[in-house]
């Protein structure tokens, strides 16, 4: 652990000691977000300063990017943008995921031909660097998806789909002229999660699917070495297995595994390879239900959602000591496929995500511990 990482840990501990136990959840909606079913605002990335990035779907079902500051409390705190070349038809546009400590943002655009292209930008969003992995396909549903940016640097990790519709992982760094593609041994589809799957050490976590349709977790070190792993209890049939979703600067990975009954369970994996599993008590036990971690911060705090027996989503936070608390954003719906969907905790435990209300409209939220 370097000096900066030690400072971060000390800062979090100091802050945690001084905070009251009550938490507050505030909701937000980007200007221009649609109000119909499936439309609205999603919060995806948050940096240590509390700047949130995400996307919104307008009333024409076109995606746009946004950045908001100061708790996203008013329209004036939002800046919206569209990447050059982004399509203007339904399910096209600009989708934003990650932001680092310097305010550098990454995401991808879907053009008028439904091809994806990664991008890097920063406020005031006048200049975009477009990222195209050289082997990415140029047909509909193909292309390059950038989803993660190094917390204190410009390195990007993501996925691309080639002309044979096969997904691969990649990393690239400024000035983004060269790309390194990778696949774990035995992969027929390599999937890199978004927002927090790349840490400060250059390690990338993700999932690959084998020829039998089984999922396996992996961590790729900065030197290119790939370590594959499977959580004990993970199913071995198609659509089952282990899925890595997020990695901390200390190399601790979190994600979910799917058992032989199709139920999701949470896990964390230390850099040493030790794995601990966990479940939210209220999580459902049916296929597609259970506990699904999404993000982990430097201290080891994990956030994600659990799906109850009715198919509704709820948020949870697992402390570094293993204590689990649950929460619901005010206004979240309680029917199947509605509810609270946390995405990312920042350095200080502030969480962003989205919730889906009873009308199936999406809203962003911030949870302050």
């Amino acid at each position: 652990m370097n000096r900066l990482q030690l400072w971060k840990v000390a800062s979090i501990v100091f802050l945690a000691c001084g905070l009251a136990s009550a938490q507050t959840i505030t909701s937000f909606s980007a200007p221009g977000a649609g109000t119909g079913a499936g439309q609205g605002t999603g919060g995806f990335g948050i940096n240590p300063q509390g700047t949130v990035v995400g996307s919104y779907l307008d009333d024409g079902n076109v995606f746009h990017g946004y950045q908001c500051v100061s708790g996203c409390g008013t329209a004036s705190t939002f800046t919206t943008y569209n990447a050059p070349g982004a399509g203007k038809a339904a399910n096209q546009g600009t989708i934003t995921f990650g932001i680092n400590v310097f305010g550098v943002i990454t995401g991808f655009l879907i053009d008028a031909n439904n091809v994806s292209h990664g991008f890097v930008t920063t406020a005031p969003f006048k200049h975009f660097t477009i990222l195209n992995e050289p082997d990415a396909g140029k047909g509909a549903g193909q292309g390059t998806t950038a989803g993660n940016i190094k917390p204190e640097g410009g390195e990007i990790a993501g996925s691309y789909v080639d002309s044979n519709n096969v997904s691969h992982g990649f990393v690239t760094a400024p000035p983004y002229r060269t790309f390194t593609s990778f696949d774990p041994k035995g992969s027929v589809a390599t999937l890199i999660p978004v927002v927090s799957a790349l840490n400060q050490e250059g390690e990338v976590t993700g999932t690959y699917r084998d020829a039998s349709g089984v999922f396996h977790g992996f961590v790729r070190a900065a030197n290119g070495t790939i370590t594959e792993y499977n959580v004990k209890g993970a199913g071995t049939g198609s659509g089952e297995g282990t899925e890595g979703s997020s990695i901390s600067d200390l190399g601790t990975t979190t994600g979910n595994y799917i058992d032989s009954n199709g139920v999701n369970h949470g896990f964390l994996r230390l850099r040493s390879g030790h794995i601990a599993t966990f479940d939210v008590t209220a999580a459902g036990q049916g296929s597609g239900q259970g506990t699904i971690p999404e993000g982990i911060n430097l201290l080891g705090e994990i956030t994600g959602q659990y799906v109850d027996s009715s198919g509704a989503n709820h948020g949870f936070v697992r402390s570094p000591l293993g204590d689990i608390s649950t929460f619901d954003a005010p206004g979240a719906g309680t029917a199947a496929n509605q509810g609270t969907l946390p995405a990312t905790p920042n350095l200080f435990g502030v969480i962003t995500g989205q919730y889906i209300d009873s009308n199936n409209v999406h809203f962003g939220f911030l949870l302050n511990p």
Side-chain angles (χ1 to χ4, degrees):
M1 188 187 305
N2 63 33
R3 183 179 300 174
L4 182 57
Q5 290 171 334
L6 284 169
W7 176 85
K8 288 178 178 177
V9 172
S11 296
I12 297 171
V13 173
F14 177 78
L15 182 66
C17 291
L19 287 173
S21 59
Q23 61 187 22
T24 60
I25 302 175
T26 57
S27 66
F28 59 85
S29 186
T35 57
Q39 298 172 353
T41 303
F44 298 126
I46 182 170
N47 68 9
Q49 295 95 317
T51 301
V52 175
V53 295
S55 295
Y56 67 92
L57 195 65
D58 67 19
D59 57 11
N61 294 314
V62 180
F63 289 100
H64 309 269
Y66 74 83
Q67 171 182 287
C68 62
V69 297
S70 303
C72 309
T74 63
S76 64
T77 66
F78 284 81
T79 304
T80 62
Y81 52 85
N82 296 294
K88 300 178 181 179
N91 300 315
Q92 297 174 357
T94 302
I95 301 174
T96 302
F97 290 119
I99 180 170
N100 70 10
V101 68
F102 301 111
V104 184
I105 293 169
T106 193
F108 71 100
L109 67 97
I110 304 173
D111 68 19
N113 296 311
N114 296 307
V115 181
S116 298
H117 310 267
F119 69 79
V120 177
T121 187
T122 188
F125 310 114
K126 302 292 185 182
H127 175 74
F128 288 74
T129 300
I130 303 301
L131 309 175
N132 288 305
E133 213 286 340
D135 294 323
K138 299 179 181 179
Q142 299 172 357
T144 302
T145 303
N148 304 271
I149 186 164
K150 185 177 284 190
E152 293 161 19
E155 183 177 346
I156 302 291
S159 304
Y160 71 94
V161 177
D162 66 21
S163 58
N164 295 313
N165 294 312
V166 177
S167 178
H168 312 267
F170 77 85
V171 291
T172 185
Y176 309 115
R177 293 173 184 157
T178 60
F179 291 74
T180 300
S181 173
F182 62 87
D183 292 285
K185 185 178 180 181
S187 173
V188 299
T190 301
L191 309 168
I192 309 302
V194 297
V195 185
S196 58
L198 170 67
N199 71 8
Q200 190 60 29
E201 305 302 316
E203 297 169 309
V204 180
T205 193
T207 304
Y208 76 90
R209 188 176 73 244
D210 67 21
S212 298
V214 182
F215 295 105
H216 308 269
F218 73 86
V219 174
R220 179 188 184 274
N223 65 6
T225 301
I226 296 176
T227 302
E228 305 168 20
Y229 64 90
N230 296 290
V231 177
K232 183 178 180 180
T236 57
S238 179
E240 301 167 358
T242 302
E243 300 181 323
S245 62
S246 180
I247 187 166
S248 77
D249 285 350
L250 299 181
T252 302
T253 304
T254 193
N256 65 289
Y257 68 94
I258 306 166
D259 68 20
S260 58
N261 295 312
V263 182
N264 295 283
H265 308 270
F267 74 86
L268 65 86
R269 178 185 182 273
L270 302 180
R271 183 175 281 157
S272 65
H274 174 75
I275 295 174
T277 62
F278 61 91
D279 290 289
V280 177
T281 303
Q285 297 299 311
S287 179
Q289 300 172 0
T291 303
I292 307 172
E294 296 288 352
I296 185 170
N297 65 15
L298 178 66
L299 195 61
E301 181 181 84
I302 295 171
T303 191
Q305 71 261 17
Y306 70 93
V307 184
D308 68 19
S309 58
S310 298
N313 298 284
H314 310 267
F316 77 85
V317 177
R318 182 185 188 274
S319 78
L321 298 177
D323 299 319
I324 297 175
S325 59
T326 62
F327 66 93
D328 291 291
T334 58
N337 301 312
Q338 297 175 354
T340 303
L341 300 161
T344 314
N346 76 359
L347 178 63
F348 300 107
V350 182
I351 295 168
T352 193
Q354 62 183 307
Y355 70 88
I356 304 170
D357 72 8
S358 58
N359 296 312
N360 296 308
V361 180
H362 295 239
F363 298 86
F365 77 82
L366 278 170
L367 181 151
N368 284 277

